[in-house]
Amino acid sequence: MATTQVIAPEKNAASNSERVPDPCVVVIFGASGDLTKRKLLPALYHLEQANLLPKDFAVLGVARRALETTFAPDMKEGIIAGGGVEESEAQLGPFVDRVQYFAMNFDDGDGYDALKKKLAELDGKFNTQGNRLFYLATAPEYFSDIINYLGEHKMAQPEKDKDGKTPWVHTIIEKPFGHDLESARALNDEVNKVFHEDQIFRIDHYLGKETVQNILVFRFANSIFESVWNRNYIDHVEITAAESIGIEGRGPFYEQAGALRDVVQNHVMELLSFVAMEPPISFQSEAVRVEKVKVWKAINPIKLEDTVRGQYGPSTIGGKAVPGYREEDRVSPESQTETFAALRLEIDNWRWAGVPFYIRAGKRLEKRVTEITIQFKQPPMHLFQGGECHNTEAVEPNLISMRIQPDEGISLRFGAKLPGPSMDLSPVQMNFSYADAFGKSSANGYERLLLDAMLGDGTLFTHRDGVEATWALMTPVLKAWKENPLKDLPNYAAGTWGPEAADELLASQGRKWRKL
């Protein structure tokens, strides 16, 4: 029997009509990469299945290789394999017919003239009315070239059509957005010379996850939780973003990134802002952005002693030998790049004063899990000591745990009396499961983000001041780590929960990480 039951009425499908964007072409730079086939095209097709794409619509993949004859069939394979789609579905063929390809070098100015002509052809063929969603899914070193050439060739700020209507142009930029505060500011300045801020959508795919969006609903739609969501009742907050895999052949990328840049500065800080923000005056983009930025700017500068970094060493997992990070392909044997990062943060505002936030993220940890844990304070006095109560140690703190991935859901831990003549206690868990409540979904999180970008809704995207606020927090940590290299790397075995120093970070204040 399922433990989760939906008791609300089903949403009227007719309300979807107001979420259908204008006719447009989605232009994906770097379309030969894995992201397009595994995530973007399956997500767009899911929108098609839900009748959330306009009737007049096209996709144009742009990359350097000559893939004109193979691109659309390859994308079809990706939709079937990665999107939970049957090849026989009636919508699939017509959708793939609207998937086109254009080969060019991103740093070739002449190629953008040809691209502009190609897009005009698609407007005529598919009636897309000059509206564009540019998606920069390339390596970061090409961002500036693409943005500047789009501006030079007048594709960023289109002119009015013959009916006096100005088409819209929106641009999604993938992470990493800069590698420190200085580079992020420089990239922001470059982008803003070409595009207005309301045209720019800096994407973090975590914000496309239903479980992340549900944090705001859980907090602000349920007064029983929001009323205790503060320093008076909460002891501490933990955020874990753990991967069981290693770097998967991405040695050169990871050597430049590391866990702090790759996960903490973006994904984890977004989760933290949703947990800690004040209620926005609405769920409009600007109102949500303002409250998120307030959280990041209220975080005290992070001290070196409140940080832990680690690097995984060789181990055996499931009977199979696993190399250490320094033995991975194209990784320096003396690398100081962290594959694990843990931080203790303090938010200096009225709601959170005195409540530590502990965050950790890493590769080759014990399991793949992203979870937020809210641990509440113990009652000020224990009634259950001595007398008929023989297991006082069973009085554990209340917890709310929000599982972002996998096995998405929310659990609440509280104490209950064990059956019997004595007052013995036991912790129990009450669980909400997304899969039990709403069924399993093949959506990958990009559906909502792509749709919002077409609609011009920036609520789930990052504004330039948000990018710079999080980099302002992390850049001093990166600098301190560079100036203070570790001599004991690697300092945790693959398949464990990271270095012992991460446990000591909490133990020094009488706390411990929740066992996941």
Side-chain angles (χ1 to χ4, degrees):
M1 179 178 178
T3 59
T4 305
Q5 180 182 5
V6 179
I7 58 176
E10 292 187 6
K11 183 179 178 181
N12 187 343
S15 64
N16 279 347
S17 60
E18 64 190 43
R19 294 282 292 165
V20 176
D22 296 331
C24 64
V25 181
V26 176
V27 184
I28 304 173
F29 290 97
S32 59
D34 195 42
L35 176 67
T36 304
K37 181 177 180 178
R38 287 197 313 111
K39 299 293 185 180
L40 301 185
L41 265 295
L44 287 169
Y45 185 68
H46 289 152
L47 293 175
E48 174 80 350
Q49 289 177 308
N51 298 315
L52 288 170
L53 286 184
K55 178 175 63 70
D56 301 316
F57 174 81
V59 176
L60 181 64
V62 180
R64 289 170 292 180
R65 288 185 282 163
L67 302 173
E68 287 83 355
T69 59
T70 61
F71 182 74
D74 194 36
M75 294 303 105
K76 181 178 179 179
E77 289 180 10
I79 292 169
I80 294 169
V85 173
E86 296 292 334
E87 189 172 3
S88 59
E89 286 190 15
Q91 291 171 286
L92 184 57
F95 178 83
V96 174
D97 289 342
R98 289 178 279 165
V99 176
Q100 310 282 305
Y101 185 78
F102 184 79
M104 63 173 281
N105 290 320
F106 305 136
D107 56 357
D108 175 18
D110 293 337
Y112 289 84
D113 278 331
L115 174 63
K116 190 173 183 178
K117 292 177 182 177
K118 177 69 174 178
L119 288 171
E121 290 176 13
L122 295 181
D123 285 336
K125 183 176 181 179
F126 297 106
N127 192 32
T128 45
Q129 302 177 21
N131 297 317
R132 312 275 186 255
L133 174 61
F134 292 117
Y135 196 122
L136 275 60
T138 67
E141 57 261 33
Y142 294 111
F143 290 171
S144 293
D145 282 337
I146 294 170
I147 289 162
N148 288 327
Y149 280 124
L150 289 175
E152 286 180 19
H153 293 267
K154 301 188 185 306
M155 288 188 276
Q157 304 296 335
E159 299 176 352
K160 292 181 180 180
D161 61 21
K162 62 182 186 305
D163 298 321
K165 182 180 179 182
T166 303
W168 55 256
V169 175
H170 300 156
T171 303
I172 294 178
I173 304 177
E174 268 287 349
K175 78 174 189 73
F177 197 93
H179 57 85
D180 58 14
L181 178 57
E182 182 180 1
S183 61
R185 280 177 174 163
L187 181 55
N188 274 327
D189 289 342
E190 278 199 83
V191 176
N192 285 142
K193 287 177 184 176
V194 176
F195 293 101
H196 303 309
E197 187 62 31
D198 60 5
Q199 293 180 280
I200 304 164
F201 297 81
R202 300 169 187 82
I203 194 168
D204 184 332
H205 72 270
Y206 260 48
L207 297 189
K209 296 179 182 295
E210 295 287 354
T211 43
V212 174
Q213 298 166 40
N214 189 57
I215 297 170
L216 300 183
V217 176
F218 183 80
R219 284 189 56 192
F220 301 129
N222 299 290
S223 59
I224 60 172
F225 299 122
E226 178 56 20
S227 59
V228 296
W229 210 266
N230 56 61
R231 59 185 169 82
N232 295 322
Y233 299 97
I234 293 175
D235 179 78
H236 70 277
V237 177
E238 299 174 29
I239 303 177
T240 296
E243 291 284 351
S244 58
I245 60 173
I247 60 171
E248 302 293 285
R250 299 188 304 158
F253 164 78
Y254 210 83
E255 279 285 83
Q256 297 298 315
L260 202 70
R261 288 186 173 100
D262 188 38
V263 178
V264 176
Q265 180 271 332
N266 37 71
H267 300 333
V268 174
M269 296 306 290
E270 290 286 356
L271 295 178
L272 183 147
S273 72
F274 276 28
V275 171
M277 66 190 285
E278 295 298 319
I281 60 171
S282 73
F283 280 118
Q284 297 300 310
S285 173
E286 178 67 12
V288 173
R289 176 184 71 83
V290 166
E291 298 304 335
K292 288 168 59 178
V293 172
K294 283 181 184 178
V295 171
W296 294 324
K297 289 188 174 181
I299 296 174
N300 289 329
I302 304 167
K303 302 173 184 177
L304 180 61
E305 58 265 32
D306 288 335
T307 73
V308 173
R309 56 196 140 143
Q311 190 184 89
Y312 64 83
S315 186
T316 301
I317 302 175
K320 181 180 178 181
V322 173
Y325 177 73
R326 291 179 174 182
E327 287 78 51
E328 298 276 16
D329 185 37
R330 294 179 292 173
V331 169
S332 167
E334 290 86 33
S335 175
Q336 280 282 319
T337 301
E338 80 285 354
T339 62
F340 175 95
L343 306 173
R344 178 169 52 220
L345 307 178
E346 295 180 358
I347 301 176
D348 190 12
N349 64 16
W350 189 266
R351 181 185 291 264
W352 296 112
V355 179
F357 282 68
Y358 299 99
I359 62 180
R360 60 178 172 172
K363 295 284 190 183
R364 282 288 185 214
L365 299 180
E366 187 171 313
K367 63 167 66 171
R368 173 180 175 261
V369 58
T370 300
E371 185 165 308
I372 301 164
T373 298
I374 313 297
Q375 180 164 316
F376 291 87
K377 294 179 179 179
Q378 289 279 39
M381 60 178 291
H382 286 170
L383 298 175
F384 307 100
Q385 293 180 340
E388 295 180 348
C389 185
H390 305 298
N391 62 340
T392 304
E393 70 280 357
V395 181
E396 297 187 2
N398 298 139
L399 297 177
I400 294 174
S401 296
M402 293 176 275
R403 179 69 61 91
I404 306 302
Q405 65 179 10
D407 305 322
E408 294 85 351
I410 300 172
S411 67
L412 171 64
R413 187 177 78 186
F414 56 93
K417 179 184 177 299
L418 283 170
S422 60
M423 190 62 73
D424 290 335
L425 309 179
S426 176
V428 295
Q429 289 210 155
M430 187 180 294
N431 295 312
F432 157 73
S433 164
Y434 260 85
D436 286 349
F438 304 111
K440 291 186 177 180
S441 171
S442 56
N444 59 40
Y446 280 91
E447 292 86 356
R448 171 69 186 272
L449 299 175
L450 287 165
L451 180 62
D452 282 0
M454 285 184 267
L455 290 166
D457 183 350
T459 305
L460 297 176
F461 295 86
T462 306
H463 193 274
R464 71 169 291 162
D465 55 2
V467 170
E468 293 176 15
T470 54
W471 274 124
L473 287 166
M474 299 303 154
T475 299
V477 176
L478 291 166
K479 182 179 179 182
W481 284 357
K482 186 176 182 179
E483 293 173 350
N484 296 273
L486 292 182
K487 298 179 180 179
D488 63 344
L489 296 180
N491 59 4
Y492 71 96
T496 65
W497 278 113
E500 291 182 4
D503 295 327
E504 294 166 2
L505 187 67
L506 276 72
S508 64
Q509 296 184 332
R511 300 181 176 98
K512 61 182 178 180
W513 294 102
R514 168 171 150 80
K515 186 176 181 181
L516 302 177

